[in-house]
């Protein structure tokens, strides 16, 4: 029988191009032992913030140059060791890595082998901003603990259950297959976690519930989940498609790119930067922080109001579309930074959809809490919920579930 702190710890790593987020969790009781962030890797102004939750100690910061991911993870290991939570501990069962793109091959968490790494590398062309950083984090962790199971948990995995009718684009099949062009979807760990937690909130099993999940952060995506399985999602080949986001345009006529090339003389790279980094809310009004946009709206700022209205219009379109896809909807769940904290977004997204059985109770919606909760009135046919996401816990749970049988055999 597994006992507390005996091979039950999982270190979760989320490696970005210039950052590493990490959490150390004990899966005996799902408690967090430490959390931290290394940012601006490769710059003179690098910063590591570490919080030792297990000891109740205060957060510690390091400021100064951290040359690369190898140096970053060594610094993280030193911080953990200072709290008696070192990477050399026999209590550490595995390291779980967030990997953004797993293509069609990876539909579940996977122990990382040379073959798995080669496939993640082959997917770099469809995730050029994310997979290279994930690969760097994996290789660095492998060098630090080559004897420890390293597990990849893929953002795309939850969406591999989509039917071909939802996943395929209406382009030449041979061209699409040759270049792996299809809808993959992202934020999968969040959509998986939130859809299950929503079912739990309703007192039902996931297989008995249809949920529309709205993951609204700086990046934003929607999913239609039928009986615990994703049947459609808003992001596509890349995270650019779908909802209006902080700096990404979301859905756009593909011919806009041709028009910009011909008329404005923009290169492919110029257009890529425009649509991914200079569009969305920041392109519309100069701000991508919903709190600031709402403040400006309250002061009568017309640009901010238009940006908010466009954001909500797109959100409502996806709610309606996924209602049609599912046929029957038990709940809509708001999650992530905006979804969990911006009451005006939740209210506006549901306003006018009473005929679909949707409504928000003003008082319940105004409550701030870090707990899953319903914000719809009792009479509403469809529950409206706020469910804080926990992607790190989801990654840790999937990682431990994969390695635990071997540990306990």
């Amino acid at each position: 029988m597994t006992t507390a702190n005996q091979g039950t710890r999982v270190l979760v790593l989320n490696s970005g191009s210039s950052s590493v987020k990490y959490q150390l969790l004990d899966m005996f009781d799902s408690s967090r032992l430490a959390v931290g962030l290394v940012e601006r890797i490769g710059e003179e102004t690098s910063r590591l913030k570490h919080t030792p939750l297990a000891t109740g100690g205060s957060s510690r910061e390091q400021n100064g140059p951290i040359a690369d991911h190898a140096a970053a993870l060594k610094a993280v290991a030193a911080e953990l060791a200072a709290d008696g939570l070192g990477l050399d501990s026999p209590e550490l069962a595995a390291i779980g890595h967030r990997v953004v793109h797993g293509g069609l091959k990876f539909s579940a968490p996977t122990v990382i082998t040379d073959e798995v790494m080669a496939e993640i590398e082959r997917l770099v062309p469809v995730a050029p901003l994310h997979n290279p950083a994930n690969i760097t984090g994996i290789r660095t962790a492998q060098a630090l603990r080559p004897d420890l199971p390293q597990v990849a948990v893929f953002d795309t995995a939850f969406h591999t259950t989509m039917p071909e009718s939802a996943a395929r684009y209406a382009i030449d099949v041979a061209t699409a297959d040759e270049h792996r062009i299809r809808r993959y979807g992202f934020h999968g760990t969040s959509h998986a976690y939130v859809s299950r937690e929503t079912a739990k909130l309703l007192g039902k099993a996931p297989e008995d519930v249809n949920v529309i999940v709205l993951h609204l952060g700086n990046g934003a995506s929607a999913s239609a989940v039928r009986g615990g399985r994703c049947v459609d999602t808003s992001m596509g080949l890349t995270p650019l498609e779908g909802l209006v986001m902080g700096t990404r345009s979301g859905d756009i006529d593909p011919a806009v790119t041709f028009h910009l090339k011909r008329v404005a003389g923009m290169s492919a790279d110029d257009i890529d930067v425009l649509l991914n980094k200079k569009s969305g809310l920041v392109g519309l009004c100069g701000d991508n922080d919903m709190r600031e946009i709402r403040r400006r709206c309250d002061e009568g700022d017309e640009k901010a109001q238009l940006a908010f209205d466009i954001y909500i219009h797109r959100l409502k379109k996806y709610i309606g579309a996924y209602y049609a896809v599912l046929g029957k909807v038990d709940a809509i769940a708001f999650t992530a930074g905006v979804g969990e904290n911006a009451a005006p977004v939740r209210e506006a997204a549901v306003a006018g959809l009473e005929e679909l059985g949707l409504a928000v109770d003003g008082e319940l919606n105004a409550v701030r809490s870090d707990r899953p909760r319903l914000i719809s009135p009792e009479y509403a046919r469809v529950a409206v919920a706020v469910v804080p996401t926990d992607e790190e816990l989801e990654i840790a749970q999937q990682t431990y579930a994969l390695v635990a049988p071997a540990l306990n055999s």
Side-chain angles (χ1 to χ4, degrees):
M1 180 177 176
T2 303
T3 58
N5 299 328
Q6 301 254 330
T8 58
R9 293 177 182 173
V10 174
L11 176 65
V12 174
L13 294 178
N14 181 352
S15 299
S17 58
S18 62
S19 67
V20 175
K21 297 177 184 177
Y22 64 93
Q23 291 195 14
L24 181 66
L25 299 96
D26 192 330
M27 301 318 297
F28 180 76
D29 56 5
S30 297
S31 61
R32 283 173 174 76
L33 305 179
V35 301
L37 168 66
V38 188
E39 56 187 346
R40 298 191 291 274
I41 295 171
E43 300 180 19
E44 292 294 319
T45 56
S46 305
R47 182 178 78 117
L48 189 162
K49 183 177 181 180
H50 174 85
T51 304
L53 300 175
T55 61
S58 300
S59 296
R60 303 191 294 268
E61 282 196 24
Q62 294 183 29
N63 293 280
I66 296 176
D68 51 30
H69 283 71
L73 282 184
K74 286 177 183 176
V76 169
E79 290 290 343
L80 290 169
D83 301 316
L85 304 169
L87 297 191
D88 58 350
S89 168
E91 297 157 5
L92 186 61
I95 298 178
H97 298 266
R98 179 199 180 209
V99 179
V100 167
H101 216 309
L104 289 179
K105 188 166 184 177
F106 300 114
S107 59
T110 305
V111 174
I112 298 168
T113 62
D114 290 343
E115 291 75 18
V116 170
M117 283 294 285
E119 182 62 22
I120 295 172
E121 288 177 337
R122 279 195 288 271
L123 288 163
V124 166
V126 290
L129 300 179
H130 300 92
N131 274 30
N134 302 153
I135 290 166
T136 300
I138 292 168
R139 286 181 174 149
T140 303
Q142 286 176 327
L144 288 173
R145 281 298 305 268
D147 59 313
L148 201 65
Q150 311 268 341
V151 175
V153 178
F154 299 92
D155 266 18
T156 50
F158 183 63
H159 304 303
T160 58
T161 56
M162 284 189 292
E164 287 292 278
S165 57
R168 283 233 177 229
Y169 292 113
I171 66 172
D172 173 68
V173 171
T175 301
D177 288 348
E178 179 182 356
H179 300 288
R180 305 186 184 200
I181 299 170
R182 62 186 290 118
R183 174 170 286 109
Y184 292 101
F186 299 90
H187 296 143
T189 51
S190 177
H191 286 281
Y193 178 85
V194 170
S195 60
R196 283 201 317 274
E197 289 297 304
T198 302
K200 188 186 299 184
L201 188 62
L202 298 180
K204 297 181 180 181
E207 55 267 27
D208 296 328
V209 174
N210 289 355
V211 184
I212 297 173
V213 178
L214 302 172
H215 177 108
L216 308 179
N218 194 48
S221 61
S223 67
V225 182
R226 177 184 291 127
R229 293 166 62 87
C230 177
V231 295
D232 207 348
T233 192
S234 58
M235 286 180 167
L237 173 72
T238 76
L240 180 60
E241 188 179 1
L243 301 174
V244 175
M245 302 175 229
T247 66
R248 299 179 197 140
S249 65
D251 292 339
I252 194 169
D253 180 350
V256 168
T257 59
F258 315 143
H259 180 76
L260 289 171
K261 185 176 187 303
R262 285 193 300 259
V263 175
M266 295 177 70
S267 67
D269 288 344
D270 292 336
I271 297 169
D272 190 321
V273 170
L274 172 69
L275 297 182
N276 278 290
K277 298 182 178 180
K278 297 182 178 180
S279 295
L281 293 171
V282 78
L284 290 167
C285 71
D287 273 310
N288 63 332
D289 187 323
M290 186 58 72
R291 293 165 297 188
E292 180 64 15
I293 290 170
R294 284 306 311 166
R295 183 193 66 76
R296 289 171 56 185
C297 288
D298 292 341
E299 293 178 353
D301 187 309
E302 293 183 0
K303 281 189 175 181
Q305 187 63 57
L306 179 59
F308 183 80
D309 291 345
I310 293 170
Y311 183 94
I312 295 298
H313 179 78
R314 185 82 54 85
L315 195 51
K316 281 189 175 182
K317 283 175 68 174
Y318 270 92
I319 291 172
Y322 287 171
Y323 206 118
V325 167
L326 292 170
K328 172 181 176 292
V329 176
D330 297 289
I332 291 179
F334 289 89
T335 193
V338 175
E340 294 170 27
N341 297 299
V345 168
R346 299 191 295 261
E347 180 182 7
V350 171
L353 303 182
E354 290 81 9
E355 290 298 318
L356 297 180
L358 292 162
V360 163
D361 180 288
E363 290 186 6
L364 294 176
N365 189 37
V367 173
R368 295 184 69 88
S369 172
D370 59 0
R371 307 285 297 176
R373 61 199 186 276
L374 295 177
I375 59 170
S376 47
E378 290 187 7
Y379 64 78
R381 274 199 331 271
V382 178
V384 180
V386 180
V387 180
T389 192
D390 197 332
E391 295 175 87
E392 288 77 16
L393 177 58
E394 179 72 13
I395 291 170
Q397 288 174 336
Q398 291 191 28
T399 296
Y400 190 68
L402 186 61
V403 304
L407 294 171
N408 298 322
S409 61

